[in-house]
Amino acid sequence: MTAATHSTLFPQGSGGTPYAPPTGADAVLEGLDPEQRAVATALHGPVCVLAGAGTGKTRAITHRIAYGVLAGILQPSSVLAVTFTNRAAGEMRGRLRQLGAHGVQARTFHSAALRQLQYFWPKAIGGGMPRLIDRKIQLVADAAATLGTRLDRGELRDVTAEIEWSKVTQTVPADYAYAAAKAGREAPRDPTEIAHLYAAYEDLKRDRSVIDFEDVLLLTVAILQDRHDIAEQVRAQYQHFVVDEYQDVSPLQQRLLELWLGDRDSLCVVGDASQTIYSFTGATPDHLLDFRARHPGATVVKLVRDYRSTPQVVRLANGLLAQARGRAADHRLELVSQRAPGPEPAYTEYTDEPAEAEGAARRIRELIDAGVPAAEIAVLFRTNAQSETYEQALADTGVPYQLRGAERFFDRPEVRKASIALRGAARFGGNDSLLDEAVDLPSQVRAVLSGEGWTAQPPAGSGAVRERWESLAALVNLAHDLAAARPAATLGDFVAELDERANAQHAPTVQGVTLASLHAAKGLEWDVVFVVGIAEGMLPITYARTDEQIEEERRLLYVGVTRARERLQVSWA
């Protein structure tokens, strides 16, 4: 099972039989290695899990929650597990469901805070809650216009990022210039001007009665700080906390966590300082690195057995970190591969970037022709701007691809239309002649989607037609997976599964090579990974000048390297 391609929502036992949940608490511990078992059975007091890439951290913490629930030590409704993406939270919920730990809340920080804010707003503030905006950019543009300032698209994006950083570090507009200088940030414009833009943005939000995502956390923090009765109500609900990817928490998220906890210490955090790659958003590994100082009696468990990558890939990853400097480097984990040996990483130099893209595309074509599924191959780069060259090279070679971090799967027009058609068929299928010949779930889904443009054979070439077909083919594959795991599943069950996945942004497999930035690749894995553009000025990126910035670039490369299970290709022009 892999985060990159295979669903954890359809587990299967040996021989493809449907997976049966564990029969009791002790059964949850079966199959865990000694360190994972130590995590699963450490249910009291503060616990810090230092988990290297590919060491099964999600497995360890979900088994820990399930073991606590099935042993009667944790009440499911009193556990709150928080992570950073909807996809990770959805995967955690799926695993907990498999393990029989029903009723446990697994959410992002924002989702958990938003629920509390919506619930307590009438009591704490009164009246209706302001509307939550999805995107800030238009509002930032409007704020700039009120000051007579024109920002191009790039400047808009950069100023928006500065506002987001300010809010998660709890910096008010008047303090921005000082805080940015202290943090060594390279402001996209004069810091005083950004402070004015930030203040105008906040004023405009108030005038229009809207809030942004950072406000969700800020307002929840403010209510919990000011209203002890509400804070006690939240603490009575949640007794036990688990925080995944703890190296990525911002000061604002840490403050919210402290308010949830109160004076208790029933907290388990999981992280790896060597995978801190979001410091530009306000994330800091300090909370993870200081955990034992704040909680002197904490249980600390290190997970270093790497089940993902071959010894050859792990050796390169360890070698990368061996050169690291700074505080995170002092706490690095030396990974130990648990897999059979594979090929050595390959290094290739090209004359220029188009030649590098063509070389990667040719090699990918050879791998696919040799039987490697396209969905098990990824091309990872430092900046999104590098994507276009690789898209063209793959299209020229006839290789299907998908962009990660582009339009989200469930937001695609063809997927929305297909979902409506499937929902209609599930509701009125008895009267649909299309379904007369369909005897099982996969054939029903194929029949419905054939009306939306799905065909048994993919269309020739690349482009929009091919991308639409890939989306529909992913839904057909998902129907096969669901039917294999639950033979009695109906079309209604399939629609419910799609709804759950859409809420969690847990997209099904698209049969194409993944193109992604190194940041977007975090948390995923593939059999074959091409890490491209490893040249001075691109990685490390030009604007990484301080020692801390260079070390973050090193960690970014480490994340890229550790996405590979079997083959790693590193190239530069």
Side-chain angles (χ1 to χ4, degrees), residues 80-102:
L80 178 59
V82 284
T83 185
F84 282 81
T85 65
N86 286 323
R87 193 187 186 289
E91 183 171 338
M92 203 180 278
R93 284 195 294 273
R95 292 200 194 196
L96 289 167
R97 202 166 60 225
Q98 293 165 25
L99 293 167
H102 301 281

Short mmCIF file of all heavy atoms in Angstrom, two decimals, residues 80-102:
data_model
loop_
_atom_site.label_atom_id
_atom_site.label_comp_id
_atom_site.label_asym_id
_atom_site.label_seq_id
_atom_site.Cartn_x
_atom_site.Cartn_y
_atom_site.Cartn_z
N LEU A 80 -8.51 13.62 19.52
CA LEU A 80 -8.42 14.50 18.35
C LEU A 80 -7.04 14.33 17.74
O LEU A 80 -6.02 14.64 18.37
CB LEU A 80 -8.65 15.96 18.74
CG LEU A 80 -8.53 16.99 17.60
CD1 LEU A 80 -9.52 16.71 16.48
CD2 LEU A 80 -8.72 18.41 18.12
N ALA A 81 -7.01 13.81 16.50
CA ALA A 81 -5.75 13.68 15.76
C ALA A 81 -5.70 14.78 14.72
O ALA A 81 -6.66 14.94 13.95
CB ALA A 81 -5.67 12.30 15.10
N VAL A 82 -4.64 15.57 14.71
CA VAL A 82 -4.55 16.67 13.75
C VAL A 82 -3.33 16.52 12.85
O VAL A 82 -2.26 16.07 13.29
CB VAL A 82 -4.52 18.07 14.43
CG1 VAL A 82 -5.88 18.46 14.93
CG2 VAL A 82 -3.53 18.13 15.56
N THR A 83 -3.52 16.89 11.58
CA THR A 83 -2.42 16.88 10.63
C THR A 83 -2.57 18.10 9.73
O THR A 83 -3.33 19.01 10.05
CB THR A 83 -2.39 15.54 9.85
OG1 THR A 83 -1.24 15.52 9.02
CG2 THR A 83 -3.65 15.33 9.02
N PHE A 84 -1.88 18.13 8.58
CA PHE A 84 -1.78 19.40 7.84
C PHE A 84 -2.54 19.45 6.54
O PHE A 84 -2.75 20.52 6.01
CB PHE A 84 -0.30 19.74 7.61
CG PHE A 84 0.34 20.30 8.84
CD1 PHE A 84 0.77 19.45 9.84
CD2 PHE A 84 0.42 21.65 9.05
CE1 PHE A 84 1.31 19.94 11.02
CE2 PHE A 84 0.95 22.17 10.22
CZ PHE A 84 1.40 21.32 11.20
N THR A 85 -2.93 18.31 5.99
CA THR A 85 -3.67 18.35 4.73
C THR A 85 -4.94 17.52 4.85
O THR A 85 -5.00 16.56 5.63
CB THR A 85 -2.84 17.78 3.56
OG1 THR A 85 -2.59 16.37 3.79
CG2 THR A 85 -1.51 18.51 3.41
N ASN A 86 -5.95 17.89 4.06
CA ASN A 86 -7.20 17.11 4.04
C ASN A 86 -6.94 15.67 3.63
O ASN A 86 -7.56 14.74 4.13
CB ASN A 86 -8.20 17.74 3.06
CG ASN A 86 -8.80 19.01 3.63
OD1 ASN A 86 -9.06 19.10 4.83
ND2 ASN A 86 -9.01 20.00 2.78
N ARG A 87 -5.98 15.51 2.71
CA ARG A 87 -5.69 14.17 2.22
C ARG A 87 -5.12 13.30 3.35
O ARG A 87 -5.51 12.14 3.51
CB ARG A 87 -4.68 14.24 1.07
CG ARG A 87 -4.57 12.93 0.34
CD ARG A 87 -3.46 12.94 -0.69
NE ARG A 87 -3.48 11.71 -1.44
CZ ARG A 87 -3.15 10.53 -0.95
NH1 ARG A 87 -2.79 10.43 0.32
NH2 ARG A 87 -3.21 9.43 -1.69
N ALA A 88 -4.17 13.85 4.11
CA ALA A 88 -3.56 13.09 5.21
C ALA A 88 -4.61 12.77 6.28
O ALA A 88 -4.63 11.66 6.83
CB ALA A 88 -2.41 13.89 5.82
N ALA A 89 -5.50 13.75 6.56
CA ALA A 89 -6.55 13.50 7.55
C ALA A 89 -7.51 12.42 7.06
O ALA A 89 -7.92 11.54 7.83
CB ALA A 89 -7.30 14.80 7.84
N GLY A 90 -7.84 12.46 5.76
CA GLY A 90 -8.73 11.45 5.19
C GLY A 90 -8.10 10.07 5.24
O GLY A 90 -8.77 9.07 5.55
N GLU A 91 -6.80 10.00 4.93
CA GLU A 91 -6.11 8.71 5.00
C GLU A 91 -6.09 8.18 6.43
O GLU A 91 -6.29 6.99 6.68
CB GLU A 91 -4.68 8.86 4.47
CG GLU A 91 -3.94 7.54 4.44
CD GLU A 91 -2.60 7.62 3.71
OE1 GLU A 91 -2.42 8.54 2.89
OE2 GLU A 91 -1.76 6.76 3.98
N MET A 92 -5.87 9.07 7.39
CA MET A 92 -5.85 8.66 8.79
C MET A 92 -7.22 8.11 9.22
O MET A 92 -7.32 7.08 9.87
CB MET A 92 -5.44 9.84 9.68
CG MET A 92 -4.87 9.42 11.02
SD MET A 92 -4.41 10.84 12.03
CE MET A 92 -2.81 11.24 11.38
N ARG A 93 -8.28 8.80 8.79
CA ARG A 93 -9.64 8.32 9.12
C ARG A 93 -9.89 6.95 8.51
O ARG A 93 -10.48 6.07 9.15
CB ARG A 93 -10.70 9.32 8.61
CG ARG A 93 -10.83 10.57 9.45
CD ARG A 93 -12.11 11.33 9.12
NE ARG A 93 -12.10 11.88 7.77
CZ ARG A 93 -11.60 13.06 7.44
NH1 ARG A 93 -11.04 13.82 8.36
NH2 ARG A 93 -11.66 13.49 6.19
N GLY A 94 -9.43 6.77 7.25
CA GLY A 94 -9.62 5.48 6.60
C GLY A 94 -8.91 4.36 7.34
O GLY A 94 -9.47 3.28 7.55
N ARG A 95 -7.68 4.61 7.76
CA ARG A 95 -6.92 3.58 8.49
C ARG A 95 -7.56 3.27 9.84
O ARG A 95 -7.61 2.12 10.27
CB ARG A 95 -5.48 4.04 8.68
CG ARG A 95 -4.70 4.12 7.39
CD ARG A 95 -3.22 4.08 7.69
NE ARG A 95 -2.42 4.48 6.54
CZ ARG A 95 -1.13 4.23 6.44
NH1 ARG A 95 -0.49 3.62 7.42
NH2 ARG A 95 -0.44 4.62 5.40
N LEU A 96 -8.01 4.31 10.54
CA LEU A 96 -8.65 4.09 11.85
C LEU A 96 -9.93 3.28 11.69
O LEU A 96 -10.24 2.42 12.52
CB LEU A 96 -8.95 5.44 12.51
CG LEU A 96 -7.70 6.20 13.01
CD1 LEU A 96 -8.06 7.64 13.37
CD2 LEU A 96 -7.09 5.49 14.23
N ARG A 97 -10.65 3.53 10.59
CA ARG A 97 -11.88 2.78 10.33
C ARG A 97 -11.55 1.30 10.11
O ARG A 97 -12.23 0.42 10.64
CB ARG A 97 -12.57 3.37 9.11
CG ARG A 97 -14.06 3.07 9.03
CD ARG A 97 -14.76 3.96 8.01
NE ARG A 97 -14.21 3.79 6.68
CZ ARG A 97 -13.92 4.79 5.86
NH1 ARG A 97 -14.10 6.03 6.25
NH2 ARG A 97 -13.44 4.56 4.65
N GLN A 98 -10.49 1.03 9.35
CA GLN A 98 -10.07 -0.36 9.12
C GLN A 98 -9.74 -1.06 10.43
O GLN A 98 -9.97 -2.25 10.59
CB GLN A 98 -8.80 -0.40 8.26
CG GLN A 98 -8.94 0.07 6.83
CD GLN A 98 -7.57 0.33 6.24
OE1 GLN A 98 -6.58 -0.25 6.69
NE2 GLN A 98 -7.50 1.18 5.26
N LEU A 99 -9.13 -0.30 11.34
CA LEU A 99 -8.65 -0.89 12.60
C LEU A 99 -9.75 -0.98 13.66
O LEU A 99 -9.50 -1.40 14.79
CB LEU A 99 -7.47 -0.06 13.14
CG LEU A 99 -6.19 -0.12 12.31
CD1 LEU A 99 -5.21 0.95 12.74
CD2 LEU A 99 -5.54 -1.50 12.41
N GLY A 100 -10.97 -0.56 13.30
CA GLY A 100 -12.08 -0.67 14.24
C GLY A 100 -12.16 0.46 15.24
O GLY A 100 -12.91 0.37 16.22
N ALA A 101 -11.39 1.56 15.01
CA ALA A 101 -11.42 2.70 15.95
C ALA A 101 -12.40 3.75 15.41
O ALA A 101 -12.02 4.82 14.96
CB ALA A 101 -10.02 3.29 16.10
N HIS A 102 -13.68 3.43 15.45
CA HIS A 102 -14.70 4.33 14.93
C HIS A 102 -14.93 5.48 15.92
O HIS A 102 -14.82 5.30 17.13
CB HIS A 102 -16.01 3.57 14.70
CG HIS A 102 -15.86 2.43 13.75
ND1 HIS A 102 -15.83 2.59 12.39
CD2 HIS A 102 -15.69 1.09 13.97
CE1 HIS A 102 -15.66 1.42 11.80
NE2 HIS A 102 -15.57 0.49 12.73
#
